[in-house]
Amino acid sequence: MAEEGSGLGRAWHELPRELADHMRPHLDEVADDMIQTIRSRVSEYDRPADGAYSGTTRQAVERVLHYFVDRVADPDHDSGPVTDFFRAIGRGEAAEGRSLDAMQSAMRVGGMVAWRRISEGAAALEVAPRTLGTVGEVLMQFQDELAAAAAEGFAQAKAAVAGEMQRRRKRLLDLLFADPPVGPEAIADLAAAAHWPVPRTIAAVALGRRHHRDSRLPAFPPDVLVDLTRRTPSLIIPDPDGPGRAGVVDRSLSGCLAVVGPSVPVAEAARSIQWARKTLGLVERGVIEADTGVIRSVEHMSTLILFQDEELITSLAELRLAPLGHLRAGQQDRLAETLLAWLQSGRNANEVAMRLHVHPQTVRYRLRQLEDLFGDQLMDPDLRFDLEIVLRARALLADDAEGRVLSGPGAAVGDPGSGPSGVVTNLRR
């Protein structure tokens, strides 16, 4: 109810109470006139008179008219019931998937009919122009009040529907990421309830949290499943390899640290998110170089394979790098760097020199040291393969903030470590 001190409250109190007595006998006639005019001017309301929609329309018109007259008779009359009724109408329009355009048009038409009938009656009663102006004022303000109530109900219903749809989509994301996977029937049922067409393939995306501290979250296409509340904020992108799809993904994730997992069938979504999370973990450790932007797991598969089991790579490092164990850390670094470059360059000393930006004679000196340390192992292709694996891991971990990832079991984090045979196994450069 409007307070008496407000503009609307004052206007109601300025109306002569006897106007209500003159209006009340004509309410049914005015209601028929309003409904007929609304049906003729607003096509959405041109329904059979015995239908539910027409019944609701008549109920709304009659409630409005009776409330208006009751309010003229008593300016403090409670407006709660009629505004609640229009909130319910707004919620109903939203539930039926309609907009408020037709209802607002009907309210304007009804208001014009009411004003015409009031003006005609006022002329017969010789109502003073000032009083007639006040009637027009309260009529327009009352119409705005009802329109606002309908809009509020409409917005409430839309928010509730959106919230429920978001909950369904988050639940669908949970089902798709489940390991072991759930059955296709459960996925199909929830996808239908979430209005998500099941695609042929998907790619999962893991987002770095540090890029979501502000309120400006990315805007994703409507067919992308999103849950930014997870411990690792995650997405599912349908048909990621479709025409132009990669560009859409990159634009949506602009400014984020985002890792896109491999494209897989829907039933294998858990595998895609697992690889995306593993890649993100290596990015955040500094093993894979990146700052912001979209990173694709498939472009780093060899690194992912290399770090799939770090305990295993540590054990291999202890075994294969044992000849370096008695050297100082600086000597280990130089020889390990030279050995990796030699293995990667087809064992060409001149190319190693260009890679390392040192004199070829320096490279040859280091290679002689390596031959003395490793002996015939450098001639065995299988052992050279093992050496390249552990040296690549060492190089990738050079700037790893976590420090000694590939260290012996007896080593302390951050200190030069040694395995059981005294071999230094800290693979940082």
Side-chain angles (χ1 to χ4, degrees):
M1 182 175 64
E3 295 181 1
E4 185 175 348
S6 70
L8 180 56
R10 289 195 303 271
W12 284 108
H13 281 80
E14 291 172 2
L15 291 177
R17 305 291 168 262
E18 59 270 17
L19 282 179
D21 296 330
H22 292 293
M23 293 179 183
R24 206 177 300 277
H26 305 286
L27 291 184
D28 290 341
E29 180 185 343
V30 174
D32 291 339
D33 190 2
M34 288 176 69
I35 292 170
Q36 183 178 352
T37 307
I38 289 170
R39 291 182 62 188
S40 66
R41 296 192 183 184
V42 184
S43 59
E44 290 84 351
Y45 284 80
D46 188 12
R47 310 278 184 98
D50 57 350
Y53 200 81
S54 294
T56 301
T57 302
R58 175 166 289 277
Q59 185 181 12
V61 168
E62 290 177 349
R63 284 200 179 201
V64 169
L65 290 174
H66 281 278
Y67 171 79
F68 185 81
V69 173
D70 290 342
R71 187 74 178 274
V72 172
D74 176 9
D76 297 321
H77 189 69
D78 184 11
S79 65
V82 71
T83 53
D84 287 345
F85 180 74
F86 271 79
R87 285 190 192 92
I89 290 178
R91 289 193 292 268
E93 294 293 282
E96 294 295 329
R98 295 187 290 265
S99 73
L100 289 179
D101 293 345
M103 192 203 73
Q104 290 169 342
S105 296
M107 290 180 69
R108 286 192 294 270
V109 170
M112 287 188 295
V113 172
W115 177 243
R116 173 169 53 80
R117 297 298 295 257
I118 289 171
S119 299
E120 292 171 354
L125 295 172
E126 298 182 353
V127 174
R130 178 181 177 85
T131 300
L132 185 59
T134 304
V135 173
E137 179 184 353
V138 297
L139 180 63
M140 289 186 290
Q141 291 188 15
F142 177 49
Q143 187 173 326
D144 288 344
E145 183 181 343
L146 298 183
E152 182 182 350
F154 187 87
Q156 290 171 348
K158 282 292 188 183
V161 169
E164 177 59 27
M165 195 60 63
Q166 185 60 27
R167 285 189 291 273
R168 291 176 185 174
R169 287 186 160 222
K170 287 183 178 182
R171 174 60 180 152
L172 179 58
L173 204 68
D174 290 338
L175 290 186
L176 290 169
F177 287 162
D179 189 15
V182 300
E185 296 83 4
I187 295 294
D189 289 346
L190 188 52
H195 297 177
W196 189 70
V198 179
R200 186 178 60 85
T201 60
I202 62 92
V205 179
L207 302 181
R209 275 196 176 275
R210 66 174 179 266
H211 295 284
H212 292 277
R213 288 177 181 169
D214 59 27
S215 58
R216 295 171 296 176
L217 297 176
F220 301 107
D223 61 346
V224 174
L225 298 179
V226 181
D227 186 358
L228 301 182
T229 64
R230 304 172 75 90
R231 183 173 61 182
T232 300
S234 305
L235 320 173
I236 281 185
I237 299 171
D239 298 320
D241 302 317
R245 200 64 171 160
V248 172
V249 172
D250 289 355
R251 286 191 296 274
S252 298
L253 297 172
S254 175
C256 299
L257 174 59
V259 177
V260 181
S263 300
V264 296
V266 173
E268 299 179 24
R271 179 165 65 89
S272 184
I273 193 61
Q274 286 167 6
W275 282 112
R277 288 169 181 163
K278 288 179 182 293
T279 306
L280 178 62
L282 293 177
V283 169
E284 291 180 333
R285 287 170 52 184
V287 175
I288 295 175
E289 291 186 5
D291 183 16
T292 60
V294 179
I295 300 152
R296 289 174 166 79
S297 292
V298 293
E299 298 173 1
H300 301 277
M301 294 302 284
S302 60
T303 302
L304 289 166
I305 292 170
L306 189 60
F307 284 85
Q308 180 68 6
D309 188 335
E310 296 190 30
E311 290 186 4
L312 187 60
I313 200 72
T314 295
S315 297
L316 183 62
E318 291 176 359
L319 177 65
R320 296 300 180 225
L321 298 184
L324 302 179
H326 66 284
L327 302 177
R328 296 189 307 275
Q331 291 177 295
Q332 289 186 44
D333 288 343
R334 288 190 293 273
L335 291 179
E337 180 183 51
T338 302
L339 180 54
L340 177 59
W342 181 73
L343 292 168
Q344 292 177 328
S345 60
R347 294 172 286 168
N348 183 306
N350 289 328
E351 186 173 339
V352 172
M354 287 188 291
R355 281 189 179 215
L356 302 183
H357 305 289
V358 297
H359 195 278
Q361 191 61 34
T362 301
V363 171
R364 292 187 181 91
Y365 172 72
R366 293 180 187 175
L367 290 176
R368 284 194 295 272
Q369 287 182 288
L370 289 167
E371 288 174 359
D372 291 340
L373 291 167
F374 287 89
D376 293 341
Q377 293 183 58
L378 298 182
M379 298 298 103
D380 187 324
D382 291 334
L383 295 180
R384 287 201 304 270
F385 180 73
D386 287 355
L387 283 169
E388 186 168 356
I389 288 174
V390 296
L391 289 169
R392 278 178 178 268
R394 179 184 186 278
L396 287 169
L397 288 169
D399 298 321
D400 183 359
E402 292 185 9
R404 299 174 27 75
V405 177
L406 302 184
S407 56
V413 174
D415 297 325
S418 62
S421 59
V423 177
V424 175
T425 56
N426 181 357
L427 296 189
R428 295 183 62 187
R429 293 177 60 185

